[in-house]
Amino acid sequence: METTRKDLLKPYYVELIYKTSIKSTDRIRINDPDGVYLLAKEILKDRMEHHEEVYLILLNQASKVLGVALVSRGSVNKTVVDIKIIFQHVILSNSSRIILFHNHPSGNCKPSKADDELTKNITQLSSLAGIDFIDHLIVSDDDYYSYSNECRCDVLKPQSMINNLSPFLEKEEIILSNPL
């Protein structure tokens, strides 16, 4: 069948769907990097030392989990993360806050330059979109590295960190001092 010019001009539609069967009251709340680490270990299980996987935790304004999305799967020492894929999930779920985590199969949780660059890029785009990117964890079987715990404001700048508060506070818990 040959495609005609008229066929090329027909509109095509993209449908985005987010479905959940979990009630808001039943959702778990992420309170700190330790909670992220426990969730990461549960998700990665026996794949922790096999290959890199990158996950996005989608949160509502109260830091309750809307969902967890696998955004990249790679080799034993690297993976490619497409920021467009991350923000497809963010927009689809109508998330207010996000956390990224990935494993280092080597067991060394020290961030690479690529990890820093990814964190910086997501921070910049999140800021433009009004999304609070509150942490990026690098995990192994025995330990984790948290950008927010390490106060890496050079690459991760959630609104609450800018005001010297924990990025895991609910937005309603953040009270800024009145300059007057």
Side-chain angles (χ1 to χ4, degrees), residues 55-179:
Y55 286 86
L56 179 66
I57 303 174
L58 305 154
L59 304 168
N60 66 14
Q61 198 154 332
S63 294
K64 289 190 174 184
V65 177
L66 297 171
V68 179
L70 173 66
V71 293
S72 180
R73 180 177 285 133
S75 66
V76 295
N77 64 347
K78 66 182 174 184
T79 190
V80 176
V81 179
D82 186 342
I83 290 184
K84 293 185 298 290
I85 301 296
I86 289 175
F87 280 88
Q88 285 174 355
H89 291 289
V90 172
I91 291 166
L92 180 61
S93 66
N94 201 27
S95 299
S96 297
R97 312 174 105 191
I98 58 173
I99 300 170
L100 196 71
F101 73 83
H102 77 280
N103 62 313
H104 278 181
S106 67
N108 179 357
C109 294
K110 182 180 179 190
S112 66
K113 288 182 182 177
D115 293 332
D116 286 349
E117 192 64 30
L118 173 64
T119 305
K120 188 175 185 177
N121 290 339
I122 294 171
T123 296
Q124 290 171 345
L125 190 52
S126 295
S127 178
L128 289 172
I131 306 298
D132 201 8
F133 179 32
I134 61 176
D135 207 354
H136 178 182
L137 269 71
I138 300 167
V139 302
S140 71
D141 270 332
D142 302 320
D143 202 10
Y144 69 86
Y145 178 94
S146 162
Y147 279 82
S148 70
N149 272 1
E150 298 298 324
C151 297
R152 290 291 308 276
C153 291
D154 57 319
V155 292
L156 179 73
K157 298 175 186 167
Q159 188 61 42
S160 52
M161 272 180 90
I162 292 169
N163 298 310
N164 295 321
L165 299 169
S166 168
F168 288 90
L169 292 173
E170 290 185 44
K171 290 186 178 181
E172 291 78 24
E173 296 173 334
I174 299 172
I175 301 171
L176 302 177
S177 59
N178 189 342

Side-chain angles (χ1 to χ4, degrees), residues 23-35:
K23 295 179 186 177
S24 178
T25 55
D26 295 335
R27 296 182 191 282
I28 62 169
R29 183 170 188 242
I30 300 288
N31 296 314
D32 54 29
D34 289 338

